[in-house]
Amino acid sequence: MRKIFHEIVSLDDAKSILWQNFNFTPIGVEEVAIGEAHGRVLAEDIIAAIDVPPFDRSTVDGYAVKAEDVFGAYEDRPVKLKVVGKIEAGDIPRVEVGYGQCVEIATGAPLPRGANAVVMVEFTKRINDELFVFKPVSPGENVMSAGSDIMIGEKIITKGKVLTPREIGVLAALGFDKVKVYAKPKVAVISTGNELVKPGRPLEPFKIYDVNSYAIASSAMEDGCEIISLTYAPDDEQKILDVVSSALEKSDVVLISGGTSAGAGDLVYRVLEKLGEVLVHGLAVKPGKPTAIAKCRGKLVVGLPGYPVSALMIYNVLVSPALRAMAGKALERRSFVKAKMAIRVSPSRGRREFLPVSLVLKDDGSISAYPLTGGSGAITTLSLADGYVEISEDVEYVDEDEEVEVRLFGEMIKPAEMTIIGSHCIGLEKLVEKLAIRGFKEVKLINVGSTGGLHAIKRGEADIAGTHLLDEVTGIYNIPFVERYGLKDVLLIEGYLREQGFILAKGNPKNIKSWEDLLREDVYFINRNKGSGTRVFVDLNLKKLAQERGLSFDDVVKMVRGYSFEAKTHSAVAAAVAQGRADVGVGIRSAASMYGLDFIPLTVEKYDFVVRKSSLKKSAVKEFIEILKSSSFKEELEKIPGFKALNPGNVLLEK
């Protein structure tokens, strides 16, 4: 029987219910060796039982002296002293420094009795047992006094501190070989679904690799937990019940992904009802509506959505604070920055939305936020995101250039060495790979289509934009659009040629040969996203077809089954055809080749680069152009099916 969501609750209400029903405090204390304490949370205040350093010691190589003996020392009037001994680090000082005397001393060695300063060896000259000093020192100079770093009885590290190499070094300096830390909460992670395959095994048709188990487990470990099991369960109620029951016996918290929405095949809710009390079933948020919170045998069980972005976002805002509290960690305080939305966004009304964004620093210091709209099933959305924007339930839209508050995933924005915004291309990815080999690893690549790339150049957000826009009037690629968009202080640099055509199932079973065939009832088409160069090419040819038939463009579009079915990349078009979700799409030959599909060439297009002149001073941009011009890149590029380079790096237009 299909289970409809219980009352959908707001995120704030869900947090209140969660914290009212559980006592999220550290679960225990254990003692570990300091060599195994990295990343653990300290469960006791550390009080120094000794001074550090425990004796006065030299901070340089030189000679221990009485400062008053060398007050008058200068380069032209050196002071002569008698060397009466030598002390190395670790030695017990058995010599005393009298007036007119000195002792050779190593860095870290204890200061001998009678000395109150150290002259650096660089300002001395020694002849046998006579030392000539050319520079005066003051009392205490080049000496670290006992207790000057840490004093006995001083509280050095407070309870609740996460132990890093710095704290562990201090513990060692104080003589600790063991330390008390909070016990790690034991967490069991379970993924459900007949479609899941464990990474490392062959991927069968229409199956997907299990992302959530590993992503959620890594998140929990980062929050101070111990993962006691990573388990998979098929869509079978009894098997899910058995797996969850077993997990409850040996864990403190159970996290389940998938099987929580109100579909006929979603079984986790029924399992949780049998094992305990379901406190929440359904959140008024996007992504993350199918979230369940239950109390089973007194333990927390959270049913997370099946899509990776949904699961990780809900984990971050709902589960992470609870686990951190159980691990003794401070609740994470994420940093915020103000940014302007790069494009207009229309969220779902009635639900709070968490929108992942990629941030771009502009020349004037302002920040633009690019929404990452890969969907809650796209794990790359989070890997590319710098943070997210929280949009409240009553907001109808966020306008372009509207200021928003971005909650960062890290502590700060890491400026990219170069930002490339525009059309997706395999050749461009090869260029970025070569940049990484040469040391430029912080290159931000945002695929928003050719038109979006030109807008980003105009707004000063991109250093480089990849574009392949065909002007339907002149038949010329890219150059007319630099003029049309009013781009200034830019260069249009020649890239390379790409063969575009129909991507078809192997053997072309539908016998598709021309644009006319897209109007057939038995043909299903997959389109490209608005703003992409391929979409412009598709629409141009459909307009020609409409003119030939004496129809309007809208009439022809209505006849193309799948016209509104959009893919963001050439690979996505090929994948849709390979999986039988479409019969034909338009893309580059290399995408068809990767999937073993048929290809009918339609045109050779120019993929070029618009570069802001102000960005030419950046080392990464200079290197990008050098690689583009290189014969090695040309050779590698032309190994990709359908790619050819003529004069890459040549300036086609300067504005």
Side-chain angles (χ1 to χ4, degrees), residues 21-96:
N21 280 272
F22 296 93
N23 181 25
F24 294 123
T25 56
I27 61 172
V29 174
E30 60 188 15
E31 195 171 52
V32 299
I34 62 169
E36 300 171 357
H38 181 265
R40 301 299 297 270
V41 183
L42 191 63
E44 61 179 345
D45 291 332
I46 299 298
I47 309 298
I50 61 171
D51 285 328
V52 178
F55 51 85
D56 294 346
R57 65 182 183 184
S58 175
T59 61
V60 297
D61 289 337
Y63 292 87
V65 300
K66 290 182 180 291
E68 51 268 38
D69 277 347
V70 295
F71 281 163
Y74 293 99
E75 287 189 16
D76 58 345
R77 287 185 290 111
V79 170
K80 185 172 70 172
L81 301 174
K82 183 179 181 181
V83 181
V84 295
K86 180 179 180 180
I87 304 174
E88 296 284 357
D91 286 352
I92 298 174
R94 303 184 186 280
V95 63
E96 182 174 340

Side-chain angles (χ1 to χ4, degrees), residues 201-215:
R201 295 178 180 174
L203 190 64
E204 300 172 15
F206 303 103
K207 302 287 187 180
I208 59 172
Y209 284 119
D210 177 15
V211 171
N212 287 1
S213 288
Y214 300 92

Side-chain angles (χ1 to χ4, degrees), residues 22 64 67 83 95 98 100 179 190 220 246 248 348 436 450 481 492 500 515 518 521 567 601-602 621 626 639:
F22 296 93
V83 181
V95 63
V179 66
I190 302 168
S246 175
L248 284 168
S348 301
S450 298
F481 293 91
L492 179 63
Q500 282 256 41
W515 294 99
L518 301 191
E521 283 286 330
L602 296 171
V621 174
E626 286 302 311
K639 291 177 183 177

Side-chain angles (χ1 to χ4, degrees), residues 447-613:
N447 299 320
V448 296
S450 298
T451 303
L454 297 184
H455 281 300
I457 287 286
K458 188 171 184 177
R459 290 194 297 258
E461 296 163 351
D463 297 303
I464 297 174
T467 177
H468 58 112
L469 291 172
L470 175 63
D471 180 51
E472 58 183 283
V473 177
T474 63
I476 296 174
Y477 273 94
N478 302 322
I479 292 175
F481 293 91
V482 174
E483 304 272 1
R484 192 169 302 162
Y485 284 93
L487 302 185
K488 297 178 180 179
D489 297 317
V490 299
L491 299 177
L492 179 63
I493 295 178
E494 182 172 343
Y496 37 79
L497 305 178
R498 308 189 308 184
E499 203 171 13
Q500 282 256 41
F502 287 134
I503 296 176
L504 308 150
K506 189 69 176 175
N508 192 8
K510 293 288 181 77
N511 196 30
I512 297 166
K513 295 181 178 179
S514 69
W515 294 99
E516 287 266 359
D517 291 317
L518 301 191
L519 308 185
R520 286 165 34 190
E521 283 286 330
D522 65 329
V523 171
Y524 201 88
F525 179 65
I526 179 168
N527 209 345
R528 281 296 307 278
N529 55 300
K530 295 182 182 70
S532 67
T534 302
R535 178 64 169 264
V536 172
F537 176 68
V538 168
D539 287 349
L540 177 60
N541 281 277
L542 291 180
K543 286 176 183 177
K544 289 180 180 178
L545 182 59
Q547 290 174 353
E548 292 170 3
R549 289 199 163 207
L551 300 171
S552 70
F553 175 68
D554 288 341
D555 288 337
V556 167
V557 164
K558 290 175 183 176
M559 297 170 68
V560 178
R561 297 180 67 218
Y563 179 85
S564 59
F565 180 23
E566 297 181 356
K568 291 184 67 177
T569 65
H570 297 283
S571 296
V573 171
V577 174
Q579 294 164 8
R581 292 182 287 117
D583 300 307
V584 59
V586 176
I588 55 179
R589 181 185 286 273
S590 59
S593 178
M594 281 192 296
Y595 281 86
L597 301 171
D598 279 12
F599 182 82
I600 297 176
L602 296 171
T603 188
V604 175
E605 64 175 11
K606 286 177 58 60
Y607 188 97
D608 299 321
F609 300 99
V610 179
V611 182
R612 285 196 298 131
K613 288 182 179 179

Side-chain angles (χ1 to χ4, degrees), residues 106-123:
T107 301
L111 207 66
R113 184 172 178 173
N116 61 2
V118 176
V119 177
M120 294 177 67
V121 69
E122 291 89 338
F123 302 113

